[in-house]
Amino acid sequence: MTGWVAGVDGCPGGWIAALRRRDAAAPVVVRVVPDLAALCDGPEAPDVVAVDIPIGLPERVGAGGRTAEQQVRPLLGPRRASVFSTSARAVVYAPDYTAAIALARAGGLQPFAPSPPANAIFPRIRAVDALLRGRPDLRERVYEVHPELAFASLNGGVPLAAPKRDPAGAALRRALLLRAGLPEDVVEGPPPRGAARDDLLDALAALAVAQGLAAGRGLSYPDPPERDAHGLPVAIWTLRPTEAHP
């Protein structure tokens, strides 16, 4: 056990990772890494990694996506549209967007075509899926999270009304992170090169969940997690609202 935990979000430069020792008073280190393996095998080698990416792909899926997405979406009120329905494995692994749409429509794998935003993260989903299928040792260290669910949990279970790129929405997210014990110099500071401001806040929200998971205070949707055909856990994790902040 290394004593480190990490919150991770995708960013233009790869992945932005916010790392901290389990001690709540420890400083937070933020960096951009090229891939999840570089983080998991890096000098900190976090015991818990909370990452904003779907983990566990269905072979076939209904209109609402995986059970995790169906359960989380109603909890987010005006932010529910941020939870995409994850496509079936074969669609995610299609060679290009045209092929993914054709497969979704003709293959009987799912009743919806993948949206452009969902398709844009297919390479990231494939990379994490391949890493976890090939590295069983990481499967119990890497957890799927969703920033909007994390922020709602930090807000006492109340979904945030304003989007993250709205000034009021960003201000509320920073206030929730500060209340959760994240250091002001990081919350209010600039993101590292290769990441945007909202990427930093999302990674810090994921870090808050990772800290809770390390302390045994996590909550999964569904509970218990499902498993995909390769044994990967399928659940979106967050904090229990009553335990989301000191």
Side-chain angles (χ1 to χ4, degrees), residues 6 48 54 58 103 137 166 176 224:
V48 175
L103 191 58
D137 60 299
D166 179 272
L176 291 171

Side-chain angles (χ1 to χ4, degrees), residues 80-225:
R80 62 185 296 139
S82 66
V83 182
F84 304 142
S85 293
T86 298
S87 288
R89 179 178 296 277
V91 175
V92 172
Y93 275 85
D96 54 48
Y97 190 33
T98 300
I101 293 175
L103 191 58
R105 288 175 174 171
L109 301 176
Q110 59 189 59
F112 60 91
S115 67
N119 177 71
I121 65 170
F122 279 180
R124 294 183 186 274
I125 297 175
R126 292 194 296 265
V128 173
D129 180 67
L131 175 66
L132 298 183
R133 285 192 291 117
R135 294 276 303 275
D137 60 299
L138 297 181
R139 294 180 188 179
E140 305 308 320
R141 290 169 52 193
V142 180
Y143 297 78
E144 177 183 347
V145 297
H146 192 287
E148 291 300 331
L149 180 60
F151 279 117
S153 296
L154 293 173
N155 198 37
V158 179
L160 277 60
K164 62 184 182 180
R165 293 188 177 91
D166 179 272
L172 175 56
R173 285 163 174 78
R174 291 195 300 271
L176 291 171
L177 292 169
L178 292 172
R179 190 172 70 176
L182 278 298
E184 183 176 5
D185 64 320
V186 176
V187 173
E188 301 288 357
R193 178 174 296 183
R197 186 88 177 104
D198 59 297
D199 299 329
L200 171 62
L201 298 183
D202 285 350
L204 291 171
L207 175 60
V209 176
Q211 292 180 149
L213 287 167
R217 297 189 288 109
L219 174 65
S220 72
Y221 293 92
D223 182 15

